[in-house]
Amino acid sequence: MSDFDIGRWRPAPFLPEADSRDGSLTFVVATLCFLACLTLIAVLATNRAARDWTSQLDGQATIIVRPKANETPDGAAARAAETLAGVPGVAEARALEKEKAEALIAPWLGDADLSDLPVPRLVAVQLTKTAPADAIALDRALKAQGLDAVVDDHSVWMADIQHAAQVARWVGMAVFGLIATAAAAVVAFATRAGLAARREVVEVLHLSGAEDGFIAGLFQLRFAKMAAIAGLFGAGAAAIMGAILRLAGGGQGLTPVLPITWLDLLAVLPAPLAAGAVAALAARLTAQAMIRDLA
């Protein structure tokens, strides 16, 4: 009697469930997903850092007061603060002490003795949130009182920060797109290699009347599943790396360089689905193109 049991027989899949090349391909796709997710987290953190820096500068102004021959530096700063306090659109004007002014310029001068230098006095101005005073109004009020002062409304700093953030954003998105394109190219190459290795199977299916979409779907499902699993590994590794960076920086991450938050780590969640979708599209287009060549 035969050992064949019809009740336990199951048809073999058209494509083998495992391939010796799957491990290497999974590693490459997982690495690309890891880099893409890490880039996305960095872009989110960079945008947050730029917003934090501009929010600190926005609504404030700094006045550099130079005393005239008939008054002391502290007296000139106090008179400037009193003048600006009455300007519409100014919430508060406060003259900084000599020690604070010296502390601000000390990093630029190193260990130099500032006691003999004519350090100008500074006036910190807090503007109102609604209808804040502009630099022209502040400068006009100071000149009306005969004060020799320079108004810095931080507009140059904010413009530079916003420009740098915009450049970082576009660079990050370009890197993200490049990595996604590389992942699609890797999957397309793997699909072509898989079709070439199973050319006889494809020819038999094609001659048996199987539609091109059915044959392409076999490869599409296979590589989509593989890429989704690789994307899961890559996204998980990126989330772990982001958590390490978040914890390494203390309360607010690597502030102010890279203020990663816990919510940023959620950005990696769509990575497995995105990797699977990219792989499915690349595999289907490649398979259809090769099947047309066989026809």
Side-chain angles (χ1 to χ4, degrees), residues 66-84:
R66 293 186 289 264
K68 293 187 175 181
N70 58 347
E71 61 183 345
T72 63
D74 292 331
R79 191 158 64 91
E82 183 180 359
T83 299
L84 295 175

Side-chain angles (χ1 to χ4, degrees), residues 101-176:
E102 292 179 349
L104 290 175
I105 64 174
W108 303 94
L109 300 179
D111 297 331
D113 186 8
L114 302 179
S115 57
D116 297 332
L117 297 178
V119 179
R121 296 298 183 264
L122 302 179
V123 176
V125 178
Q126 182 68 41
L127 306 177
T128 58
K129 295 182 179 180
T130 58
D134 56 13
I136 297 177
L138 298 178
D139 184 66
R140 186 182 297 115
L142 292 170
K143 288 182 177 179
Q145 297 298 321
L147 289 163
D148 183 9
V150 178
V151 179
D152 181 10
D153 61 353
H154 305 157
S155 58
V156 175
W157 290 93
M158 289 190 291
D160 290 342
I161 292 174
Q162 292 171 354
H163 178 70
Q166 186 72 8
V167 171
R169 186 183 301 112
W170 283 110
V171 170
M173 296 309 297
V175 172
F176 181 83

Side-chain angles (χ1 to χ4, degrees), residues 48-65:
R48 181 175 299 102
R51 288 196 303 268
D52 291 343
W53 293 338
T54 54
S55 64
Q56 293 176 10
L57 295 176
D58 192 23
Q60 297 182 0
T62 302
I63 313 301
I64 304 174
V65 183

Side-chain angles (χ1 to χ4, degrees), residues 237-257:
I240 294 174
M241 178 62 70
I244 293 175
L245 294 175
R246 174 69 174 80
L247 295 174
Q252 295 182 344
L254 299 181
T255 305
V257 179

